Amino acid sequence: MHFVNWQRDIMISNIEGQKVVIKRNKTVKNIHEHLLVFMFTFMSFILLHPCSPLKTGKFILLNEGFSSRSELEKIGIPTPKLIKIDQETIVEEYVEGGDLYAYLKNSDDFGIVQQVGSITRTLHDSGACFIDNKAQNYLVRNSEIYRTDLGLIQNKATEFMKSLDIGIFLASLLDLESTKYKKIEEEFLEGYTRKIKSSRSIPYLSIIIRNIASLVLAANHKNLAKNLLSKSDIQ
């Protein structure tokens, strides 16, 4: 699950001497979107925080577009440079450090995760949520974080949706070695709670969503079991 893009096929290419990432819609993209909307709505009801269905379709394309990225940059959320976008294809600059999951699996640079916590809190404080906030949607370049796959951003920030962002991010890393995961969680929470002007606690559904989502996102179930049984710093 870690390396499957649910919407698009991804390839690396060169355009006029520039290395780029080309994302083309899968033939089952619409089916996957409907399934995701159903799962999101179903989980919100199960956790007693019912939400209206996610906005998808044309909103996904708008979220990926030039204007949306410009607005994110203005509030301090870096994204890869967009080169081209249409109904079927997105072309972005290639970010050479790869995705954050792979980076953390092979590195002890845990401090970089504070940037993710800060980015997540920044979006929440702006009144929006990522929804698909897994580590594979963050790219690394020279110890700087860039957020990619922006299509599911919703202009709402309910308790459930904020918990979803935090829970899915942590769930996507919950199958790493236990001492490594513990440090990652600490750094993320530090970045999230340190953000300007606000000392509100972590949204309380985060740990529940983390545990549920990890059953789908985890690849190493031995590490997952250890981390699920360990005490979390999420309050």
Side-chain angles (χ1 to χ4, degrees), residues 33-45 160 216:
E33 284 182 12
H34 290 309
L35 179 61
L36 185 68
V37 169
F38 169 78
M39 291 302 298
F40 169 85
T41 307
F42 177 73
M43 186 178 290
S44 74
F45 274 89
F160 170 72
V216 177

Side-chain angles (χ1 to χ4, degrees), residues 16 18 45 51 60 69 74 122 127 129 144 162-163 195 197 212 227 230-231:
E16 297 180 353
Q18 179 181 2
F45 274 89
C51 291
I60 288 180
R69 290 172 192 249
K74 287 178 183 177
T122 294
C129 288
E144 295 292 329
K162 290 187 287 187
S163 298
K195 194 61 189 167
K197 297 182 182 178
I212 294 171
N227 290 325
S230 298
K231 182 174 171 28

Side-chain angles (χ1 to χ4, degrees), residues 32-174:
H32 287 174
E33 284 182 12
H34 290 309
L35 179 61
L36 185 68
V37 169
F38 169 78
M39 291 302 298
F40 169 85
T41 307
F42 177 73
M43 186 178 290
S44 74
F45 274 89
I46 289 295
L47 295 178
L48 305 180
H49 280 69
C51 291
S52 56
L54 296 174
K55 291 182 178 180
T56 57
K58 66 179 182 180
F59 292 100
I60 288 180
L61 201 64
L62 289 172
N63 285 341
E64 292 281 9
F66 292 98
S67 295
S68 175
R69 290 172 192 249
S70 176
E71 291 302 312
L72 291 173
E73 294 278 352
K74 287 178 183 177
I75 63 172
I77 301 178
T79 66
K81 180 182 177 183
L82 180 63
I83 298 169
K84 175 187 174 183
I85 184 168
D86 58 35
Q87 292 289 339
E88 299 297 326
T89 306
I90 297 171
V91 182
E92 293 177 341
E93 67 171 328
Y94 175 77
V95 177
E96 60 277 0
D99 72 72
L100 184 60
Y101 178 86
Y103 181 83
L104 291 171
K105 189 174 183 180
N106 298 296
S107 168
D108 292 330
D109 181 17
F110 304 116
I112 197 171
V113 182
Q114 281 197 30
Q115 294 180 48
V116 180
S118 179
I119 285 170
T120 303
R121 186 55 177 265
T122 294
L123 191 68
H124 291 179
D125 286 350
S126 77
C129 288
F130 286 115
I131 306 302
D132 188 17
N133 200 38
K134 59 183 181 287
Q136 293 77 9
N137 287 341
Y138 289 91
L139 304 176
V140 181
R141 172 191 285 152
N142 299 327
S143 294
E144 295 292 329
I145 289 290
Y146 294 78
R147 187 52 161 80
T148 190
D149 289 341
L150 309 166
L152 285 179
I153 290 176
Q154 305 291 302
N155 292 320
K156 292 181 181 179
T158 66
E159 190 76 8
F160 170 72
M161 295 168 87
K162 290 187 287 187
S163 298
L164 194 70
D165 275 0
I166 295 167
I168 285 181
F169 177 76
L170 295 176
S172 70
L173 295 159
L174 201 61

